[in-house]
Amino acid sequence: MDPRLELLQLLEQHPDASPAREIAQRAGISTAALTRLRTAYQFGGAEGVANAQHQHQPSPGTLEAAADAIRATPDMRNRELVLRDNTITYPVVGVQIRLGRDDRWYPYTRTTADWVAAPAPAADPAAAFSRAIAAARRRHNE
């Protein structure tokens, strides 16, 4: 098992702030990075954490088919999407979906510092993309 995953599970059992700092130090990462991984864990479990940490190359045509599904939605016709590795990014709004090795799409939103997991992975890329857009709107309104 991934040692960071074990630490995240420990953090879920002890959610107060002081162990988070200690856990981040033990993992050799910043508290902010630990927070991002914790969010990925809460929304996607072990695969969400793996997806947050590692990119991979999906089967040929997978990203293009997913981008076509996204562009088929009314609000996304003729929009510029960036396809790279296992990600589809809409930089204008700061949203991204990442294909996990479990064939689910994980939504992310852009913060000033990094990409942060958003709720709920989906098998349908258009659904995951819609969830990323909704999460970005919520973050913008906070």
Side-chain angles (χ1 to χ4, degrees):
M1 178 182 266
D2 180 349
R4 289 184 181 174
L5 185 57
E6 290 178 17
L7 292 173
L8 289 165
Q9 290 169 339
L10 177 64
L11 184 57
E12 287 301 304
Q13 295 169 5
H14 306 283
D16 61 6
S18 63
R21 283 189 292 277
E22 294 168 24
I23 289 171
Q25 284 181 328
R26 287 192 344 208
I29 60 176
S30 69
T31 305
L34 178 65
T35 299
R36 286 190 298 276
L37 288 177
R38 184 177 184 195
T39 300
Y41 180 76
Q42 289 170 335
F43 293 140
E47 183 59 32
V49 173
N51 191 276
Q53 296 184 96
H54 308 289
Q55 294 182 336
H56 65 92
Q57 296 296 320
S59 301
T62 301
L63 286 183
E64 292 79 8
D68 289 345
I70 293 166
R71 288 188 190 108
T73 62
D75 293 339
M76 291 304 296
R77 286 193 177 95
N78 301 317
R79 303 293 177 150
E80 184 66 32
L81 298 173
V82 178
L83 286 60
R84 181 170 176 255
D85 296 322
N86 62 320
T87 67
I88 298 175
T89 306
Y90 185 35
V92 172
V93 179
V95 298
Q96 181 180 86
I97 59 172
R98 299 179 186 180
L99 179 61
R101 293 190 186 273
D102 61 354
D103 291 325
R104 292 188 304 164
W105 293 92
Y106 290 78
Y108 283 78
T109 61
R110 182 84 179 151
T111 66
T112 55
D114 204 353
W115 291 100
V116 177
D124 175 12
F129 192 84
S130 176
R131 292 169 185 171
I133 295 281
R137 286 184 180 138
R138 282 191 303 275
R139 281 211 175 113
H140 181 71
N141 290 331
E142 288 179 350

